[in-house]
Amino acid sequence: MKSNEIRKRFLRFFKQKGHAVIESDLLVPKDDPTLLFTGAGMNQFKEQFMGKNITFTRAVTCQKCLRTGDLENVGKTPRHHTFFEMLGNFSFGDYFKKEAIFWAWEFMTKEMKIPEQRLWVSVYKEDEESYAIWRCDVHVQPERIVKLGAKDNFWPADAPLKGPNGPCGPCSEIFYDWGEDIGCGKEDCNPACDCGRFVEVWNLVFTEFERKPDGALIPLPNRNIDTGMGLERVTSVMQNVKTNFETDLFQPVIDEIAKEFKKNGDSISSENVCLIADHIRASVFAIAEGVSPSNEKRGYVVRKLIRRSYLRSPRKGPFLYNLVPKVVSLMKEIYPEIYDRREHISAIIKEEEGKFSETLNSVLPMFKDMAYQGKGSVAGDAIFKLVDTYGLPLEVIKEEAEKDKIILDTKGFEKLMCRRKEESRKGSDIACEFIFKPDQFRAAPNPEYSDKLPLLARIEFIVKEDKVSDEIREGECAEIVTSPQSSNFYSEAGGQVGDTGVIIKPGAVMNIMNTFETGGKKIFGVIAIKGSFKKNEKIEISLNSEKKQNTAKNHTATHLLQAGLRNVLGEHVKQSGSYVDDKRLRFDFTHMKKLTDRELENIEYMVNTWIEEALPVAKETKTLKTAKEEGALSFFGEKYGETVRVVTIGDKSKELCGGTHIDNIKDIGVIKIVSESSVASGIRRIEAVTGVRAEDWVKRKLKAYLDKGGFKDAFFDDKFDKSFYSDALKIIEGNIKINKDVIHD
């Protein structure tokens, strides 16, 4: 049975059991700073598992996942991966153990037609209820039911003794038995043995307790089901192959790798082939969601995957990008977004491979020389310089050192690296650094909303220094929930900052520095400027309307900017990220080359011409299907519901967007691009200002030229930025005596 058929059958089976079929969440989780990547099917259902946002009580998914915890095992074992797909069915306070167990057994034995004698199960040793269901209701023979401890059959592992506090529960696993001729050969071999005979294919988690700080397990009022079955593992069972890499999910990619090296007479180990096949899949899907190779967070993971693959190649030079078409052709039916971005993905991988090749060629000789000078050893500060200044990965240094038996001062290197991280952290410290953590507001009440301004309200909930508090003193930062809440405040989302304002009471003032949202609650990030504020105190909330309006102007300008970029550069340009506040805008987009001066001039001129047309900005709610049929652009990496908000600017721009916008683009005044740069492989960044700030920027730059000896001489200077002279004439006409005819000539 093909993997595509297994996916379809799983979703169809549980749909027939009353489950809502929910599409895979993004690989890059939205609004969850606790995760680098989505690593499990349950991640997108956090709200439902907490009893919130319950629009369906049963769900089924095939979730794309990326984990790096087992990175060192990839290629060495039959079943470790970075990117994989997780099949799962979920219940939120609906059905529980009996249904979950019955349906799992029915799917495996009836739908997949796996012989019952090939299946074993495990249960938590103290979970007599699950054991009884398997033994008495499903009629699994007792010798094929294994009782295991909390380390193996409890979620989270060892939670009863070690925590963490919060929802938890026992689990039951289903194993496939490859037969007595596989593994250790012992008569008493069972799923507790790690010899390879048994492979776990499905885990059923019964979330029924809440662990308290004293270790007590208290029954939850609403019990949940969370299951996970690895598509790669069940596919290997259905295709009767011993490793996941032999399935149709990997074999075409592996064949392509072999072909790639065979044509040049290169040989490569099966371990390295499997590693490359795994890493190229993960890289393709991560880059498809806008994660480009870089030195930070998600980008670092992608860079590491590409570089690990490159280092396992017998032929030094870009090759990984040639595998992208094969991955895309395998997965495009289920995940069409990777097909739409296939050329961009290939270009980014090729560029990263090329850069890494150059680094190795230029820096490795330096390392060899350092080792020679150090008589077979390299000091910590030298290693730090190679890593920090020249970009040579530490793992490469370690591999080269092992080959030539070079001694490395890794402790000295680690001290310097820690110092650098601390300096970087201190350099970014500000008065209030709000790192919003939604889980801290689970216990906050759900207040009513009001559109009145100023708004009379009461402080309902305070979080200060990551702890629930009753008071905010002068000079302190905190996050608060009020009752009622103001519907006029926009919450930070989609690259747009949240609204700001002021909270007052007699003798005390707090500034609202940002607005967040979780679970339908608006959270104010505040700093107390004067006096103190306590829980339950009455307050008055005011909105900074001017800042809100200027932010809206800049947000609308980003839509015009994207339209201008697509007109000038081509339709491959898509938004990869943005930042919008009241002072400036930043727009990241997919493009492989640095923009020329002429291209920037054309984009800016085009957008300013549209602004002069005074086009209205329409905001409408439509179905996602209708919006897509009308050609509305979506922000890549965003997950949309069935209904969406469409922002349309004449015939120039149509995008899905939930941010704030002005009513007519004439209010933008003028836009001025102030910089263009690269932020990652295949991702360019434009920064711009609008309105009065754009005029001020032009005036300051023009004055600098005038101070140097005159506008005429400056204009014919090669370093003079000619892109703004026409705007400059409009802005300064009548203020500075200048011969315009000279400029026009």
Side-chain angles (χ1 to χ4, degrees):
M1 188 182 293
K2 298 291 186 183
S3 55
N4 278 358
E5 179 65 19
I6 296 172
R7 282 194 204 91
K8 291 175 184 176
R9 288 196 180 201
F10 184 84
L11 297 174
R12 184 179 62 211
F13 177 86
F14 280 99
K15 182 179 181 180
Q16 292 170 349
K17 303 294 184 185
H19 291 63
V21 179
I22 308 299
E23 67 178 64
S24 172
D25 197 10
L26 300 167
L27 201 58
V28 177
K30 185 178 182 295
D31 298 331
D32 193 342
T34 65
L35 295 173
L36 273 183
F37 293 100
T38 298
M42 61 79 65
N43 289 157
Q44 69 168 310
F45 299 119
K46 279 188 175 182
E47 289 282 302
Q48 287 83 0
F49 278 124
M50 292 188 290
K52 303 169 186 175
N53 194 25
I54 302 289
T55 56
F56 45 80
T57 57
R58 302 179 180 187
V60 59
T61 64
C62 178
Q63 174 66 51
K64 50 187 177 180
C65 301
L66 199 157
R67 297 180 188 171
T68 58
D70 295 317
L71 190 64
E72 297 304 321
N73 290 321
V74 174
K76 297 177 182 178
T77 72
R79 285 174 281 275
H80 280 108
H81 303 294
T82 51
F83 175 84
F84 59 95
E85 295 174 84
M86 186 66 76
L87 303 166
N89 59 288
F90 307 89
S91 167
F92 314 114
D94 190 347
Y95 65 84
F96 201 49
K97 291 180 182 179
K98 190 167 187 176
E99 294 88 343
I101 290 172
F102 263 92
W103 291 337
W105 192 255
E106 181 184 348
F107 180 79
M108 297 297 274
T109 59
K110 300 292 191 291
E111 188 71 26
M112 295 289 98
K113 301 190 184 313
I114 298 174
E116 291 188 11
Q117 61 269 25
R118 285 284 191 181
L119 298 177
W120 290 55
V121 297
S122 69
V123 296
Y124 177 50
K125 63 183 181 181
E126 296 181 17
D127 186 5
E128 295 298 335
E129 181 184 3
S130 292
Y131 180 88
I133 294 170
W134 283 115
R135 178 68 193 95
C136 303
D137 298 322
V138 182
H139 304 298
V140 176
Q141 295 303 308
E143 63 269 19
R144 287 192 287 118
I145 305 175
V146 182
K147 293 184 177 183
L148 300 175
K151 182 180 178 181
D152 297 295
N153 274 89
F154 209 92
W155 181 88
D158 276 336
L161 289 177
K162 299 180 180 179
N165 297 326
C168 61
C171 53
S172 180
E173 298 168 308
I174 301 177
F175 293 82
Y176 181 79
D177 181 3
W178 283 106
E180 296 176 359
D181 56 334
I182 301 296
C184 63
K186 296 178 181 178
E187 287 187 11
D188 60 348
C189 183
N190 64 42
C193 182
D194 59 2
C195 67
R197 172 180 167 180
F198 296 92
V199 55
E200 177 214 326
V201 290
W202 205 342
N203 188 19
L204 316 176
V205 179
F206 312 125
T207 312
E208 59 179 320
F209 300 115
E210 180 180 2
R211 187 185 192 275
K212 294 295 185 179
D214 63 358
L217 298 179
I218 307 301
L220 288 169
N222 291 312
R223 304 176 301 178
N224 303 314
I225 292 292
D226 165 20
T227 81
M229 176 163 60
L231 176 64
E232 290 77 10
R233 293 190 179 193
V234 73
T235 300
S236 73
V237 169
M238 296 307 299
Q239 295 178 4
N240 195 33
V241 291
K242 298 300 188 294
T243 78
N244 296 352
F245 294 101
E246 296 174 81
T247 67
D248 67 335
L249 288 163
F250 285 95
Q251 203 57 49
V253 180
I254 286 173
D255 290 343
E256 192 69 18
I257 295 169
K259 186 171 134 186
E260 179 74 21
F261 294 122
K262 186 177 180 181
K263 64 187 178 185
N264 291 301
D266 297 317
S267 62
I268 183 170
S269 69
S270 60
E271 178 182 320
N272 287 342
V273 168
C274 292
L275 179 143
I276 292 169
D278 170 272
H279 287 9
I280 184 61
R281 292 203 326 157
S283 299
V284 165
F285 275 90
I287 294 171
E289 291 198 10
V291 182
S292 286
S294 70
N295 288 328
E296 296 182 355
K297 297 181 180 178
R298 298 183 180 103
Y300 177 74
V301 172
V302 175
R303 170 161 284 170
K304 187 169 185 176
L305 293 174
I306 293 173
R307 290 181 170 185
R308 277 170 59 86
S309 300
Y310 183 91
L311 291 169
R312 300 302 178 98
S313 163
R315 175 167 49 85
K316 297 311 173 188
F319 76 97
L320 203 60
Y321 72 99
N322 288 328
L323 305 177
V324 173
K326 185 58 67 175
V327 176
V328 169
S329 67
L330 276 173
M331 310 294 277
K332 67 181 180 181
E333 180 183 342
I334 309 300
Y335 305 108
E337 66 270 16
I338 65 172
Y339 178 80
D340 296 338
R341 306 201 78 202
R342 63 195 183 282
E343 293 181 4
H344 180 68
I345 295 167
S346 293
I348 285 180
I349 291 176
K350 184 177 182 180
E351 182 183 37
E352 180 64 22
E353 289 183 283
K355 287 179 180 177
F356 189 47
S357 177
E358 291 174 7
T359 297
L360 292 176
N361 291 335
S362 61
V363 183
L364 270 180
M366 294 174 57
F367 170 67
K368 302 287 188 182
D369 186 58
M370 288 175 177
Y372 176 77
Q373 297 291 337
K375 297 181 180 180
S377 65
V378 180
D381 58 346
I383 301 171
F384 180 78
K385 187 175 183 180
L386 289 170
V387 173
D388 189 63
T389 305
Y390 297 107
L392 188 64
L394 181 61
E395 53 263 39
V396 174
I397 295 173
K398 287 181 176 179
E399 285 183 13
E400 292 298 317
E402 189 175 346
K403 285 181 193 175
D404 299 333
K405 297 183 179 179
I406 297 169
I407 299 170
L408 300 176
D409 176 18
T410 52
K411 288 185 178 179
F413 163 78
E414 288 167 2
K415 285 182 181 178
L416 290 168
M417 187 56 74
C418 288
R419 189 183 303 168
R420 167 56 57 86
K421 289 178 180 177
E422 180 65 17
E423 289 171 356
S424 177
R425 186 195 67 77
K426 287 181 179 177
S428 64
D429 281 351
I430 54 177
C432 280
E433 186 177 3
F434 295 107
I435 302 175
F436 182 53
K437 299 176 181 177
D439 288 352
Q440 293 179 335
F441 295 88
R442 288 184 189 178
N446 292 304
E448 299 291 326
Y449 275 89
S450 171
D451 60 0
K452 294 180 181 179
L453 281 176
L455 175 64
L456 297 177
R458 183 178 68 254
I459 298 175
E460 287 275 9
F461 197 79
I462 300 172
V463 171
K464 187 174 66 177
E465 296 179 349
D466 289 343
K467 295 179 182 178
V468 176
S469 179
D470 291 326
E471 184 179 16
I472 311 167
R473 297 185 179 90
E474 189 170 311
E476 291 182 334
C477 302
E479 291 159 317
I480 67 170
V481 177
T482 69
S483 179
Q485 297 187 336
S486 176
S487 57
N488 295 287
F489 277 77
Y490 176 81
S491 304
E492 179 180 294
Q496 179 179 330
V497 298
D499 283 340
T500 61
V502 176
I503 294 176
I504 62 171
K505 70 169 193 176
V509 179
M510 280 196 298
N511 284 347
I512 301 172
M513 308 300 292
N514 204 348
T515 304
F516 310 96
E517 187 167 351
T518 180
K521 306 166 190 171
K522 286 193 186 290
I523 318 296
F524 289 143
V526 299
I527 179 170
I529 303 300
K530 178 183 177 183
S532 63
F533 290 81
K534 294 182 179 180
K535 183 180 176 181
N536 295 324
E537 282 188 331
K538 292 182 179 180
I539 54 172
E540 181 180 284
I541 305 170
S542 297
L543 171 69
N544 187 333
S545 301
E546 182 180 359
K547 183 175 180 181
K548 184 183 183 77
Q549 178 70 357
N550 287 334
T551 302
K553 290 178 184 179
N554 284 338
H555 197 153
T556 304
T558 64
H559 286 221
L560 292 174
L561 189 56
Q562 177 163 223
L565 285 161
R566 288 169 63 85
N567 269 280
V568 173
L569 303 179
E571 293 190 357
H572 66 279
V573 169
K574 290 183 180 175
Q575 181 176 349
S576 182
S578 68
Y579 177 84
V580 177
D581 64 16
D582 61 315
K583 299 179 180 64
R584 70 194 193 283
L585 63 94
R586 187 180 74 211
F587 188 80
D588 298 344
F589 58 98
T590 54
H591 190 63
M592 294 304 300
K593 299 178 181 177
K594 176 179 172 60
L595 273 66
T596 66
D597 290 343
R598 176 60 61 88
E599 287 170 335
L600 288 169
E601 289 169 19
N602 289 343
I603 293 162
E604 188 178 285
Y605 177 78
M606 183 178 290
V607 174
N608 280 320
T609 300
W610 294 339
I611 291 171
E612 290 178 358
E613 293 180 30
L615 299 169
V617 181
K619 307 108 176 174
E620 303 169 285
T621 300
K622 300 182 179 183
T623 65
L624 180 60
K625 181 181 178 183
T626 300
K628 287 185 174 181
E629 288 173 350
E630 292 177 355
L633 295 179
S634 57
F635 171 41
F636 203 84
E638 186 74 49
K639 187 176 181 182
Y640 298 98
E642 292 182 8
T643 59
V644 292
R645 185 166 175 262
V646 182
V647 177
T648 307
I649 306 172
D651 61 351
K652 311 303 179 188
S653 170
K654 186 185 288 286
E655 292 189 35
L656 307 185
C657 183
T660 61
H661 291 273
I662 51 179
D663 295 324
N664 193 297
I665 61 174
K666 68 180 180 182
D667 294 336
I668 295 172
V670 64
I671 187 171
K672 179 64 210 171
I673 297 172
V674 298
S675 71
E676 189 273 343
S677 61
S678 170
V679 289
S681 297
I683 306 294
R684 307 297 301 180
R685 170 173 292 173
I686 279 180
E687 296 190 58
V689 287
T690 63
V692 173
R693 288 185 178 273
E695 295 176 4
D696 289 343
W697 187 91
V698 173
K699 286 177 183 178
R700 286 196 304 273
K701 191 161 187 181
L702 183 57
K703 185 176 183 301
Y705 284 122
L706 290 169
D707 290 344
K708 289 179 181 178
F711 195 80
K712 176 182 175 182
D713 292 338
F715 186 74
F716 291 103
D717 182 344
D718 288 339
K719 296 179 181 179
F720 179 69
D721 182 359
K722 301 175 181 62
S723 66
F724 78 90
Y725 86 93
S726 60
D727 291 331
L729 292 178
K730 293 178 187 176
I731 294 167
I732 66 168
E733 189 173 6
N735 295 328
I736 299 176
K737 292 181 180 180
I738 191 166
N739 188 342
K740 290 186 285 185
D741 293 333
V742 171
I743 303 304
H744 288 301
D745 288 342

